[in-house]
Amino acid sequence: MSATEYERTPAIAEKGYETPLAHDLEAIWESKPGIRGFLSTVDHKEIGIRYLVTSFVFLVLGGIEALVMRLQLAGPNKSLLTPEQYNELFSMHGLTMIFLYALPVLSGFSNYLFPLVLGSRDMAFPRLNAFSYWVYVASGIFMYASLVLGFAPNDGWFSYVPYALKPYNPGPNMDFYALGMIFYGVSTTVGSANFVVTFLRMRAPGMSINRVPILTWGTVTVSFGNLFAVPAVSLAFLMMWADRQFNTHFFTPETGGQPLLWQHLFWMFAHPWVYVVVLPAMGLVSDALPIFCRRPIVGYTVVVLGTITTMVLGFGVWLHHMFATGLPFLALSFFSAASFVITIPSAVAVFAWIATIWTGRPVITTAFLFFAGFIAMFVIGGVSGVMTAAVPADRQLTDTYFVVAHLHYVLIGINLFAVMGALYVWFPKITGRLMSERLGRWNFWLVFVGFNLGFFPMHVTGLMGMPRRIYTYPDGLGWDTLNLITTMGAFVLAIGILLLLINLAISRRGGAPAGPNPWDGPTLEWATPSPPPPYNFPVIPLVASRHPLWEERLGETEAGHSEIHRGPVLADGKEALATTALDAQPDVILKMPEDSYAPFVVTLAMAVAFTGLLLANWWVAGIGGLAILIGSLVWLWPEAALAQKARRPA
Amino acid sequence: MRNARRAIVAGSGMAAALLAAPRPACALGWADFPMNYLTTAGVKERPVVALTWGLMGISIAVIVLISLFVLVGVLRRRNTDVSLPEATRIPVVRPRSGLAWISIGVGVSTVVLLGMMGWTAVTMAKIARPPVDPAVTIEIRARQWWWDARYESGDPTRIVDVANEIHIPVGKAVEFKLQSDDVIHSFWIPALGGKTDVIPGQTNMTWLQAERPGVYRGQCAEYCGKQHGHMGIVVVADVPEDFQAWLDGQISPAREAASQQVAEGRDRFIQRCGACHTVRGTRAGGALGPDLTHLMSRGSLAAATLPNKIAYLSGWIANPQTIKPGAQMPNLEISGPELASIRSYLETLK
């Protein structure tokens, strides 16, 4: 048989959601009911929802940890927590929010939305997608097991050596973190590869690279970033674990190791990571804000270029976490300059959003309030970041509460505000129900007031000299009142987030029916029913503009008209269409894999292997390793059904 | 001076009054924040304080301006008179391109950023080196969780170790060599200068120069374990004559026991504490804890955690693990009479 025998030109037909074709597709794409379907599904929508739910569970856990710390810090010389308990809590809080909440919640949106906004039926690698979720959950449980067992990581999310090494930290605390992070890195890596390939090859015909929604640009940019950044930190944690386990002396100064090496490797990853957890959120806002301004975003092209520039520059600023480490001023001046310059592409986005609001006609929904608040918080977190770019100023600011304030304005302001707004926008798509606007207003204002009440005073606490990561502080230094205000703000913020959760719970069943396009949005996901069927689109849509659902009204028809319900019919089994990377010309029909237990089983095997490494039980680790190998073989075993066939199987 | 020194330790805001900053009309002054770095008493810090204020001023202006843009933009043409989701039936249009916002906004931002960048570079050049050669060199050895300071000298008999309280001469540059034998710490006296990390395996250098006499509190600024929160340090800037007198006093060995009772206390101290602490002139020669030869000359105990008063001293000796849980000093189960005896000796270490 030669390759040509498989060639096939799909029929072009006009088919809607209530046709025999759609019923066939439903049968082909739907997962099994019950636990079997739960463990084996590869549906990107199901996986996206799981990412969202799981990351919110971790958000709540990290939030509770923060509240306990805030009680300890509400006044001077409190002894609610021992120093060790406090140190474990701030470490868990940091790693939870940064790793187990901030990126996974964005991956949730991206997983759910990528195929829908790109006009595709699934991600490029559906099983890898399921795998990336399972590994995320397993590594999260692995790291949280330490807290349950009483050996939580106690050296912060940054885990500076030598404190993280055996002589100062003999318990298994740091082993949990080091191995957990290597484990977690697998999830991020495969997830990123999947987003990159999906973005490049799974777009609807005609959706050339300048017509994709900005949220996919945000995610694909950081996915590229992850592929370069994650290896640095996985290597660093492997070296740390080896130092702890085998005395390899990578970081031990008395035997020729270099403590600063850790900081370089860690921040080479961790600074880009800051952009990784904000750029996709900025993308969500860049797509959703214009819906409520009733106009397309101002400056699509520069916003996209700004996103990419930020990520690239983000790799050149890691030293600004190390301004006080004694490096020579000449080296620091380069990184200082880069840290100023990286503000410019962010300014592009800010002015694009403001211009969109000014030249549009804003509709004040809860989602819009979150996005408007997001812009203000973005700017506060941005300018305080600029202050830390100035080396001499930073040598005072660094490691004080000023930086705590800064990073929370960045992470809560740019990530959580965007996420909450995005939930109000896309929850109706996911569930078919609108969220309550009434509760939404309370939700927004409590979060907005609580957040600013809690975190704005922290800038001042920092300027008044309060260092970070201290479990208590004396009176007489002027920090008492500010800390009490911060604690009160933290609780108001928590109540606001509780309201969000209540709103989600109530609206899931009791919300007003949303219909396919409650906000009159411009992109392809709004052309599907809410919730969308497992196959997303009965025929692959053909796209002729950036705003397929607005193009007639905007007169964006110079390249023809987009066709949502008329396009290639792909129904010989699970099929999707791959298009070319730049112009999205139809390229090849993809046979998509069926549901599979393999991702779940391989994840279990990995959990066994990592537990073996943690216990230094090489037999268990070996068995786990072997199981990974066998599981992967089964997973990747060639299947005839996945080959291209000209004819539908009988 | 002595009282002020005690106060700054943790006891009261009184110490603040010594920081000779102008007191604004409002209820709180800078002096109520002894660790603030928006005012300074240091030559090195003066251009940095100006830079920090400048950047902060620009930042606040940007925040106000952008917030106004957002607020006015939202309120100007908003739609609230329609219920959801009917609200979104407002027609979609592509009005003006709006690109001018981006080009003007980003253009202005870039110019401002470049200005800030230049100001930063100039400031870095200013603080890189002291204006005059350092008059004193102090080797700091940061420990979990206290500070050892060794005054260097060409004359070996004039090299001396002190702990947690450093004196420096006003108006002279002082060079610091920073070393650690355990984990990473950071040396930070906010009123005099920014942080420099203390990293095992390397010697970082920094310098400070006080403009006027005073007591300046500092604190470890790099997370270093359980008692990172109680790793304070005090820098006392004296006029040069006072500094010289202090240094001479520190160099001298501990005074002889003046009575039988004190001599008993000394022997108990050597027996119970001497393995970790040094009192020069006695057989107590331990190096794990602070040198206590002139303990009573210090304003504070336990790395600026407690005021150096008799009651606190007793409490600390009896039960360090309650005051600083995890500290290297163990609870020694010292009996009451034994404690009184040791304390009566320590009180003579002026």
Side-chain angles (χ1 to χ4, degrees):
Chain A
M1 287 197 296
S2 74
T4 52
E5 284 182 57
Y6 294 102
E7 275 192 7
R8 159 182 150 210
T9 307
I12 304 288
E14 181 144 2
K15 301 279 183 188
Y17 284 95
E18 297 302 329
T19 55
L21 172 74
H23 290 289
D24 285 356
L25 285 167
E26 179 96 26
I28 292 171
W29 283 84
E30 120 192 296
S31 295
K32 290 192 197 75
I35 185 79
R36 288 179 302 158
F38 181 81
L39 294 177
S40 68
T41 186
V42 297
D43 182 341
H44 71 96
K45 295 182 287 299
E46 177 61 28
I47 293 167
I49 293 168
R50 288 181 190 178
Y51 259 110
L52 289 172
V53 171
T54 312
S55 61
F56 262 80
V57 169
F58 282 118
L59 176 75
V60 169
L61 289 174
I64 292 169
E65 288 153 7
L67 292 179
V68 177
M69 286 193 287
R70 281 320 313 174
L71 287 177
Q72 163 76 12
L73 293 175
N77 297 317
K78 288 207 177 301
S79 52
L80 174 70
L81 298 169
T82 66
E84 179 65 14
Q85 285 169 338
Y86 182 86
N87 294 346
E88 292 186 12
L89 275 182
F90 84 68
S91 305
M92 286 307 287
H93 170 71
L95 75 90
T96 302
M97 293 308 200
I98 293 167
F99 296 118
L100 302 177
Y101 160 74
L103 179 66
V105 76
L106 301 176
S107 299
F109 279 110
S110 297
N111 260 312
Y112 192 91
L113 291 173
F114 253 56
L116 287 171
V117 300
L118 296 177
S120 178
R121 282 187 175 151
D122 207 331
M123 298 284 287
F125 305 114
R127 289 183 180 177
L128 207 55
N129 205 23
F131 181 59
S132 120
Y133 171 74
W134 288 122
V135 172
Y136 154 55
V137 179
S139 62
I141 293 172
F142 185 89
M143 289 192 260
Y144 259 84
S146 68
L147 189 67
V148 177
L149 297 171
F151 296 107
N154 55 7
D155 191 15
W157 78 293
F158 52 94
S159 295
Y160 277 6
V161 292
Y163 187 63
L165 301 179
K166 269 260 153 77
Y168 307 100
N169 223 318
N173 313 52
M174 295 312 297
D175 295 319
F176 270 111
Y177 189 34
L179 293 169
M181 282 301 292
I182 298 171
F183 195 2
Y184 175 82
V186 174
S187 164
T188 312
T189 304
V190 299
S192 299
N194 206 353
F195 285 127
V196 168
V197 177
T198 304
F199 175 90
L200 289 176
R201 299 304 304 272
M202 300 293 282
R203 308 195 305 271
M207 189 181 279
S208 54
I209 206 145
N210 57 348
R211 288 179 186 157
V212 294
I214 294 182
L215 73 93
T216 63
W217 272 114
T219 301
V220 80
T221 304
V222 306
S223 298
F224 265 108
N226 275 333
L227 293 176
F228 292 93
V230 173
V233 83
S234 296
L235 174 71
F237 276 109
L238 183 69
M239 290 159 83
M240 176 200 282
W241 178 72
D243 261 16
R244 292 177 55 82
Q245 197 65 50
F246 306 116
N247 286 315
T248 41
H249 303 308
F250 289 116
F251 303 123
T252 51
E254 60 275 19
T255 42
Q258 179 46 274
L260 271 190
L261 175 61
W262 168 267
Q263 298 190 18
H264 284 290
L265 287 172
F266 183 80
W267 290 116
M268 248 177 227
F269 152 81
H271 197 84
W273 188 264
V274 175
Y275 298 104
V276 165
V277 298
V278 301
L279 289 176
M282 291 162 65
L284 289 170
V285 175
S286 294
D287 277 337
L289 178 72
I291 300 179
F292 299 102
C293 295
R294 313 307 298 150
R295 59 151 299 154
I297 188 160
V298 172
Y300 172 97
T301 310
V302 282
V303 169
V304 168
L305 291 176
T307 305
I308 297 168
T309 312
T310 304
M311 190 75 242
V312 173
L313 289 176
F315 278 88
V317 295
W318 82 87
L319 227 62
H320 76 209
H321 298 269
M322 300 168 62
F323 281 162
T325 54
L327 292 161
F329 269 11
L330 191 64
L332 296 188
S333 59
F334 170 79
F335 285 87
S336 172
S339 305
F340 280 109
V341 169
I342 200 166
T343 314
I344 296 171
S346 296
V348 172
V350 169
F351 285 107
W353 296 320
I354 292 177
T356 307
I357 293 176
W358 270 74
T359 57
R361 299 201 49 202
V363 183
I364 315 294
T365 60
T366 301
F368 180 86
L369 287 175
F370 273 113
F371 298 145
F374 155 95
I375 300 173
M377 303 304 100
F378 186 112
V379 172
I380 296 177
V383 293
S384 58
V386 171
M387 287 178 68
T388 63
V391 177
D394 182 65
R395 287 177 76 157
Q396 291 280 16
L397 297 167
T398 188
D399 281 313
T400 68
Y401 265 80
F402 186 88
V403 177
V404 182
H406 159 68
L407 76 92
H408 283 91
Y409 268 87
V410 170
L411 292 176
I412 296 182
I414 312 184
N415 182 299
L416 190 56
F417 269 66
V419 162
M420 286 189 284
L423 274 177
Y424 279 87
V425 175
W426 279 288
F427 179 86
K429 178 52 57 189
I430 297 171
T431 62
R433 304 271 177 178
L434 289 162
M435 287 175 73
S436 158
E437 281 290 316
R438 213 179 133 81
L439 261 177
R441 300 300 156 121
W442 280 96
N443 170 204
F444 170 76
W445 286 109
L446 279 172
V447 165
F448 187 81
V449 171
F451 171 63
N452 283 291
L453 184 69
F455 289 91
F456 201 84
M458 273 191 189
H459 291 108
V460 185
T461 325
L463 291 167
M464 296 312 159
M466 180 162 165
R468 299 173 73 175
R469 300 160 187 146
I470 55 175
Y471 76 100
T472 188
Y473 54 90
D475 56 6
L477 298 176
W479 303 337
D480 321 5
T481 313
L482 291 164
N483 270 294
L484 185 62
I485 295 171
T486 290
T487 298
M488 294 192 299
F491 278 87
V492 176
L493 172 61
I495 294 168
I497 291 180
L498 188 66
L499 275 189
L500 171 75
L501 299 178
I502 291 172
N503 199 353
L504 289 167
I506 292 177
S507 305
R508 200 164 82 90
R509 302 243 179 268
N517 193 358
W519 315 116
D520 185 21
T523 39
L524 289 177
E525 80 274 29
W526 301 114
T528 65
S530 305
Y535 53 92
N536 295 352
F537 301 96
V539 295
I540 307 298
L542 302 172
V543 174
S545 75
R546 207 173 274 165
H547 310 98
L549 307 189
W550 283 0
E551 66 192 17
E552 303 298 334
R553 287 176 273 171
L554 295 176
E556 282 180 356
T557 48
E558 60 275 15
H561 301 268
S562 300
E563 304 197 60
I564 311 290
H565 294 303
R566 188 171 173 282
V569 179
L570 296 174
D572 292 352
K574 268 189 154 182
E575 288 182 325
L577 187 68
T579 50
T580 57
L582 295 180
D583 297 329
Q585 296 298 316
D587 192 18
V588 64
I589 296 170
L590 300 170
K591 293 287 184 179
M592 305 301 281
E594 296 293 331
D595 288 357
S596 165
Y597 296 106
F600 180 71
V601 171
V602 172
T603 304
L604 280 185
M606 288 179 74
V608 171
F610 275 102
T611 307
L613 295 177
L614 179 76
L615 302 172
N617 186 327
W618 312 127
W619 282 105
V620 174
I623 290 167
L626 200 65
I628 295 172
L629 200 67
I630 295 168
S632 310
L633 274 176
V634 173
W635 177 346
L636 298 170
W637 203 258
E639 288 171 54
L642 294 181
Q644 279 287 6
K645 286 188 200 131
R647 209 162 295 138
R648 192 170 187 170
Chain B
M1 211 52 200
R2 168 70 48 80
N3 287 339
R5 211 174 293 157
R6 282 179 188 155
I8 203 152
V9 175
S12 84
M14 293 290 290
L18 270 178
L19 295 182
R23 206 182 171 89
C26 62
L28 286 176
W30 295 118
D32 292 308
F33 303 96
M35 295 270 290
N36 91 79
Y37 43 84
L38 291 174
T39 56
T40 184
V43 171
K44 183 183 187 183
E45 197 50 19
R46 204 145 286 285
V48 181
V49 165
L51 175 72
T52 307
W53 274 110
L55 297 183
M56 198 156 61
I58 296 169
S59 298
I60 291 170
V62 171
I63 293 171
V64 170
L65 198 66
I66 300 283
S67 300
L68 276 179
F69 281 150
V70 174
L71 201 63
V72 175
V74 170
L75 297 180
R76 216 167 58 104
R77 303 180 61 196
R78 71 187 185 282
N79 297 283
T80 47
D81 52 338
V82 261
S83 62
L84 292 162
E86 284 76 18
T88 45
R89 293 210 183 122
I90 291 157
V92 174
V93 287
R94 187 190 280 284
R96 311 180 270 127
S97 83
L99 276 172
W101 274 93
I102 300 183
S103 38
I104 296 171
V106 174
V108 172
S109 308
T110 305
V111 171
V112 173
L113 283 166
L114 289 176
M116 291 158 102
M117 213 160 103
W119 191 356
T120 297
V122 170
T123 310
M124 282 168 81
K126 272 189 198 154
I127 65 167
R129 261 174 287 282
V132 287
D133 281 346
V136 180
T137 300
I138 304 173
E139 213 178 286
I140 297 280
R141 200 162 284 273
R143 315 279 294 259
Q144 279 179 322
W145 291 273
W146 59 282
W147 307 84
D148 181 85
R150 174 172 294 176
Y151 285 73
E152 289 194 347
S153 171
D155 173 0
T157 62
R158 289 191 62 83
I159 296 175
V160 63
D161 277 275
V162 302
N164 299 328
E165 180 176 308
I166 307 170
H167 287 236
I168 60 171
V170 165
K172 298 196 170 156
V174 179
E175 180 181 54
F176 291 87
K177 295 182 180 171
L178 307 173
Q179 290 170 339
S180 164
D181 291 330
D182 45 45
V183 302
I184 299 178
H185 305 272
S186 195
F187 177 72
W188 182 38
I189 315 294
L192 301 178
K195 302 172 185 78
T196 307
D197 290 352
V198 188
I199 301 172
Q202 68 187 64
T203 304
N204 280 343
M205 310 286 281
T206 190
W207 67 277
L208 300 174
Q209 180 174 337
E211 289 172 339
R212 53 177 184 270
V215 182
Y216 306 107
R217 190 182 200 273
Q219 191 162 344
C220 174
E222 185 62 82
Y223 174 67
C224 57
K226 291 189 186 67
Q227 283 301 332
H228 170 54
H230 284 140
M231 191 170 161
I233 185 169
V234 174
V235 171
V236 182
D238 295 325
V239 293
E241 305 80 62
D242 288 354
F243 169 73
Q244 204 53 47
W246 173 85
L247 187 61
D248 291 341
Q250 296 294 317
I251 289 168
S252 66
R255 62 179 64 180
E256 294 291 326
S259 69
Q260 183 56 32
Q261 194 199 346
V262 172
E264 269 175 36
R266 178 197 61 204
D267 294 343
R268 284 222 170 79
F269 173 83
I270 293 168
Q271 181 200 348
R272 301 301 305 267
C273 316
C276 296
H277 292 284
T278 292
V279 171
R280 277 173 280 119
T282 74
R283 284 182 291 112
L288 289 177
D291 183 308
L292 299 181
T293 309
H294 298 284
L295 176 64
M296 287 302 130
S297 72
R298 295 176 201 156
S300 65
L301 297 171
T305 303
L306 302 169
N308 191 359
K309 292 183 183 148
I310 286 309
Y312 288 105
L313 180 60
S314 306
W316 173 247
I317 299 170
N319 201 350
Q321 290 300 321
T322 302
I323 295 161
K324 276 175 88 165
Q328 311 288 346
M329 180 161 157
N331 282 1
L332 284 172
E333 310 297 335
I334 293 175
S335 68
E338 219 180 352
L339 175 63
S341 171
I342 290 174
R343 191 184 56 208
S344 67
Y345 171 63
L346 290 176
E347 280 181 85
T348 68
L349 299 176
K350 308 261 190 233

